[in-house]
Amino acid sequence: MTKLTFVELKLLTREPGAIFALLIPLFILVVFGSSIEPGDTVLVPMALAIAVGLVGLYMLPTTLATYRERGILRRLSATPVRPVRMLVVQLILQLVLAVAACGLLLGVAGGVLGAHLPSRWPLVALVFLLGAGSLFAIGLLIAALAPNGRSANGIGVLLYFPMAFLAGLMQPTHQMPDILVRVGEYTPLGAFRQSLQDIWAGGPADPLPLLVMAGYALVVSMIAARFFRWE
């Protein structure tokens, strides 16, 4: 398990998509953060949601579907390293990638741009785990249904952009029609962004977005497990 993790970590560091997931949210933060106000509670949560969304909807499904397409999971079934171990390792490494992306964003936001950072870090960690769990569950479902890596990539992109729009990551929610704002609140990316923004604003965490994320994480992951194919 340790050797498998080390090998997969080396492969992940060479993956262009991993660099993309790290740098795109950082680029957005720096470009729009050049005029950020110290009390801003919107930009940093938005950048964090973008980062986790890219990992969950793009990196995770593309990697797993590509491994199945190349027969890697099938060949592992004939070795002591069972395919499920590969799945566990990939989930851990993708979570580490999301943590690294968010850590980079928080370091630049607080240390360079002087952005406001919350003090309730245990609550931030809880929201992060729920958000990552809900988005990773959708990524696993994409990987389960996509016939190959290219299809998983395309499906992930097609889901990401409408979800990002509804979540208020492309346009502020106060400039969107009320019906779209309401729909966005029931998407995992929208619930994640809203929960982070509530924490950044210093208010209590609304239980509805937390329940939405937990529901996606539980239900969609069960569906993904039902349809996941090793070959």
Side-chain angles (χ1 to χ4, degrees):
M1 188 77 167
T2 302
K3 185 175 181 180
L4 178 62
T5 303
F6 179 72
V7 171
E8 290 300 310
L9 178 60
K10 287 174 60 178
L11 293 175
L12 181 63
T13 58
R14 299 171 184 172
E15 174 60 47
I19 305 300
F20 177 83
L22 285 170
L23 295 185
I24 291 299
L26 181 62
F27 174 79
I28 293 173
L29 176 69
V30 171
V31 169
F32 290 97
S34 58
S35 58
I36 193 172
E37 298 180 0
D40 182 86
T41 61
V42 176
L43 183 58
V44 178
M46 180 186 74
L48 295 174
I50 290 173
V52 179
L54 286 174
V55 175
L57 299 178
Y58 170 70
M59 282 295 300
L60 177 62
T62 301
T63 301
L64 291 178
T66 299
Y67 278 16
R68 184 175 61 241
E69 177 187 4
R70 294 177 178 174
I72 295 175
L73 298 180
R74 174 176 52 81
R75 291 195 293 272
L76 283 175
S77 64
T79 71
V81 182
R82 307 299 296 177
V84 70
R85 293 189 179 182
M86 173 67 78
L87 179 59
V88 171
V89 167
Q90 278 299 322
L91 287 172
I92 292 173
L93 291 180
Q94 298 295 339
L95 182 61
V96 169
L97 177 60
V99 170
C102 291
L104 180 61
L105 291 170
L106 291 172
V108 172
V112 178
L113 301 176
H116 164 71
L117 298 180
S119 58
R120 296 178 294 173
W121 291 109
L123 185 55
V124 173
L126 172 63
V127 170
F128 171 83
L129 290 175
L130 287 174
S134 62
L135 292 164
F136 279 30
I138 295 177
L140 287 173
L141 182 59
I142 295 172
L145 300 178
N148 51 55
R150 182 176 297 180
S151 297
N153 190 335
I155 295 171
V157 170
L158 287 176
L159 280 179
Y160 178 81
F161 284 103
M163 201 180 294
F165 174 77
L166 291 172
L169 302 182
M170 296 183 175
Q171 183 177 358
T173 53
H174 67 269
Q175 298 178 3
M176 296 169 56
D178 291 341
I179 182 63
L180 294 183
V181 174
R182 293 295 298 172
V183 171
E185 291 174 352
Y186 290 92
T187 66
L189 202 53
F192 185 35
R193 193 271 310 160
Q194 183 60 56
S195 292
L196 288 174
Q197 193 169 321
D198 289 343
I199 297 172
W200 252 253
D206 187 343
L208 178 59
L210 301 180
L211 290 174
V212 168
M213 290 185 287
Y216 274 101
L218 178 62
V219 175
V220 179
S221 62
M222 292 174 62
I223 298 173
R226 170 66 179 82
F227 289 100
F228 196 86
R229 297 169 289 115
W230 298 111
E231 55 182 304

